[in-house]
């Protein structure tokens, strides 16, 4: 079964003279998906982008983390593991070649799941390592995605 996903990217960086020269325009745009609030974006601050706006690297890293979290919550529920909190601080490692071309070389997810005190932590940990078999985003990237989970047990 196939699914179609759509988005609309609208460049917002024309300062009046378009791309007349390299410094005449901003690298800003909006992500506009029908029926959803716009996301205002810019390129990486290292490249002169606006650090207050999301950039493509932020979005990819966040998508990986969110996909992993949603599968984790699903599998935890199926396994009888009650998750009451979940936060992740993923780290993506990128490299830039001399030509200026860049890419991610790895991502490490670092989720902290808060579990009800009677949860089996071994099962909770094992769930994390099953997710890359099914996560749409992790299965779509060409770099390794690892996971270093931590757990907090409620008392």
């Amino acid at each position: 079964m196939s699914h179609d996903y759509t988005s609309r990217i609208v460049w917002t960086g024309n300062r009046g003279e378009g791309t007349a020269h390299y410094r005449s325009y901003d690298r800003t745009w909006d992500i506009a998906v029908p029926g959803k609030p716009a996301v205002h974006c810019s390129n990486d601050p290292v490249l002169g982008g606006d650090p207050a706006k999301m950039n493509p690297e932020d979005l990819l890293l966040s998508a990986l983390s969110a996909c992993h979290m949603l599968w984790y919550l699903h599998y935890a529920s199926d396994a009888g593991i009650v998750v009451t909190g979940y936060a992740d601080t993923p780290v993506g490692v990128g490299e830039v070649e001399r030509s200026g071309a860049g890419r991610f070389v790895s991502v490490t997810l670092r989720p902290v799941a808060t579990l009800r005190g009677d949860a089996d932590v071994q099962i909770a940990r094992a769930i994390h390592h099953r997710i890359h078999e099914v996560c749409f985003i992790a299965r779509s990237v060409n770099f390794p995605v690892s996971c270093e989970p931590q757990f907090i047990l409620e008392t």
Side-chain angles (χ1 to χ4, degrees):
M1 173 181 5
S2 72
H3 297 249
D4 293 337
Y5 298 91
T6 63
S7 181
R8 184 165 184 253
I9 306 301
V10 180
W11 176 50
T12 60
N14 184 349
R15 294 189 213 143
E17 56 182 325
T19 60
H21 53 86
Y22 186 75
R23 301 231 183 259
S24 69
Y25 62 97
D26 291 331
R27 281 74 173 164
T28 57
W29 69 93
D30 288 346
I31 298 173
V33 176
K36 299 177 183 180
V39 178
H40 308 293
C41 301
S42 183
N43 68 332
D44 190 309
V46 171
L47 302 171
D50 183 344
K53 295 180 180 174
M54 298 288 273
N55 62 55
E57 296 80 8
D58 295 333
L59 295 168
L60 178 60
L61 188 62
S62 298
L64 271 167
S65 177
C67 189
H68 185 94
M69 176 191 68
L70 292 168
W71 275 106
Y72 186 80
L73 298 174
H74 171 80
Y75 282 161
S77 176
D78 284 352
I81 303 288
V82 178
V83 179
T84 59
Y86 187 103
D88 191 7
T89 52
V91 175
V93 177
E95 70 177 9
V96 178
E97 298 173 0
R98 293 179 76 193
S99 67
R103 68 183 186 119
F104 276 104
V105 294
S106 68
V107 166
T108 302
L109 304 175
R110 301 181 310 172
V112 177
T114 303
L115 310 176
R116 196 169 63 191
D118 61 347
D120 184 325
V121 174
Q122 286 184 297
I123 293 173
R125 184 176 311 282
I127 290 171
H128 279 291
H129 302 294
R130 295 176 40 210
I131 294 171
H132 292 168
E133 299 168 11
V134 292
C135 174
F136 198 95
I137 307 301
R139 290 173 44 85
S140 300
V141 298
N142 68 350
F143 51 83
V145 179
S146 60
C147 187
E148 297 174 354
Q150 296 181 27
F151 302 95
I152 299 169
L153 292 176
E154 291 181 336
T155 55

